[in-house]
Amino acid sequence: MSISPLAWVAGNSVVEPGVVLGAHVTIGPYCVITAGVVIGEGTVIASHSVITGLTTIGRNNTFGQYASIGEVNQDLKYAGEPTTLVIGDRNHVGKHATFHRGTVQGISSTIVGSDNHFLNNVHIGHDCVVGDRTRIGDNSGLAGHVELADGVEIGFMCAIHQFCMLGMAAKIIDQSAVVQDVPPFVIASGNRAAPAGINEAAKAFLALELYQQLLIFQLYERFYHQALSIDEVKATLKAGESDYPIITVYNEFFARSARGIIR
């Protein structure tokens, strides 16, 4: 066990041998932290939380009450293999959140980036990859193997089907069910989720030059109003990659998309 002298652990919490706590880590009352967990400097764990497995948490994160972090995943093929959960820095995790570690059938790890905001009762399933600066609302969940690019926004009471990809700055409206991939900057809504416009308020969109913003609208037009095939759109993207840097984001998305995009 390696606990910084500057860390604080409530007297009625259980911290097993083999745990690493950085400076200024705070472990609230009635928590259980099991062997193999590493918690970085300045992270705060609220009361009644359980952090277990081979879980590594970065700096200056906050976890609400009754969080369950690093638990055994819900994949019935899991047989106790030493898979991991890795969480970056400056994330806010709400009350009753559940983050599961990966499976050997997937990437053997669940990976969460930095500067994300997860509200109450959020579930992150096994082998998910979450980028930076995402936001997930109350009672929403990611099934296994879901990927969120940077800046994705998910409203409350949403469900994201396993193996789905959500592109950069995509936005999912409250109470939606996503069963296919959502391209970058696209707003999706409904059960099953359908395209509902461009996420013009996204920071990633506002940071672009006007000509690239216009290109995003043109691509949306081709995807959804002209009803072009994916192959036709891909050919257009390839032709303009050298002139429009944002096209690289779309090409990378389509190169990895396997479930088809929402239509």
Side-chain angles (χ1 to χ4, degrees), residues 115-193:
D115 300 301
N116 299 291
H117 198 90
F118 307 119
L119 300 185
N120 299 331
N121 297 302
V122 165
H123 173 68
I124 306 295
H126 62 84
D127 301 291
C128 286
V129 177
V130 177
D132 301 331
R133 301 177 302 280
T134 69
R135 186 181 188 278
I136 304 180
D138 295 272
N139 302 299
S140 290
L142 311 183
H145 311 277
V146 168
E147 296 188 28
L148 305 187
D150 295 347
V152 167
E153 303 172 60
I154 298 175
F156 70 84
M157 296 183 70
C158 292
I160 314 300
H161 193 282
Q162 63 182 350
F163 293 102
C164 281
M165 292 176 54
L166 277 59
M168 175 185 288
K171 181 175 182 178
I172 312 303
I173 301 299
D174 300 336
Q175 297 179 300
S176 295
V178 176
V179 298
Q180 289 184 294
D181 299 337
V182 181
F185 300 102
V186 168
I187 297 173
S189 178
N191 183 10
R192 306 295 200 254

Side-chain angles (χ1 to χ4, degrees), residues 205-216:
F205 182 86
L206 296 173
L208 295 171
E209 295 174 296
L210 178 60
Y211 77 96
Q212 297 207 82
Q213 294 178 346
L214 293 175
L215 176 64
I216 290 171

Side-chain angles (χ1 to χ4, degrees), residues 189-243:
S189 178
N191 183 10
R192 306 295 200 254
I198 294 293
N199 188 10
E200 300 176 56
K203 290 182 179 179
F205 182 86
L206 296 173
L208 295 171
E209 295 174 296
L210 178 60
Y211 77 96
Q212 297 207 82
Q213 294 178 346
L214 293 175
L215 176 64
I216 290 171
F217 281 104
Q218 291 171 11
L219 290 173
Y220 187 89
E221 174 78 12
R222 291 170 186 166
F223 288 144
Y224 297 120
H225 294 163
Q226 297 179 13
L228 298 181
S229 71
I230 295 298
D231 288 338
E232 289 175 302
V233 176
K234 284 181 180 179
T236 302
L237 291 171
K238 196 64 178 176
E241 188 168 15
S242 60
D243 298 323

Side-chain angles (χ1 to χ4, degrees), residues 20-181:
V20 177
L21 302 182
H24 307 294
V25 167
T26 298
I27 307 296
Y30 303 105
C31 292
V32 176
I33 317 294
T34 67
V37 172
V38 177
I39 301 178
E41 178 178 343
T43 290
V44 177
I45 313 297
S47 69
H48 299 85
S49 294
V50 176
I51 304 179
T52 187
L54 298 176
T55 296
T56 300
I57 299 172
R59 298 183 173 196
N60 301 314
N61 297 280
T62 60
F63 291 82
Q65 296 96 321
Y66 296 94
S68 177
I69 307 300
E71 276 293 346
V72 172
N73 57 71
Q74 295 174 315
D75 191 319
L76 297 180
K77 298 184 297 295
Y78 182 72
E81 298 90 352
T83 56
T84 63
L85 166 65
V86 179
I87 299 173
D89 304 326
R90 299 176 304 278
N91 296 291
H92 170 79
V93 180
K95 297 185 287 293
H96 297 275
T98 55
F99 289 24
H100 289 172
R101 55 187 186 264
T103 66
V104 294
Q105 291 80 19
I107 59 173
S108 295
S109 187
T110 302
I111 302 172
V112 176
S114 299
D115 300 301
N116 299 291
H117 198 90
F118 307 119
L119 300 185
N120 299 331
N121 297 302
V122 165
H123 173 68
I124 306 295
H126 62 84
D127 301 291
C128 286
V129 177
V130 177
D132 301 331
R133 301 177 302 280
T134 69
R135 186 181 188 278
I136 304 180
D138 295 272
N139 302 299
S140 290
L142 311 183
H145 311 277
V146 168
E147 296 188 28
L148 305 187
D150 295 347
V152 167
E153 303 172 60
I154 298 175
F156 70 84
M157 296 183 70
C158 292
I160 314 300
H161 193 282
Q162 63 182 350
F163 293 102
C164 281
M165 292 176 54
L166 277 59
M168 175 185 288
K171 181 175 182 178
I172 312 303
I173 301 299
D174 300 336
Q175 297 179 300
S176 295
V178 176
V179 298
Q180 289 184 294
D181 299 337

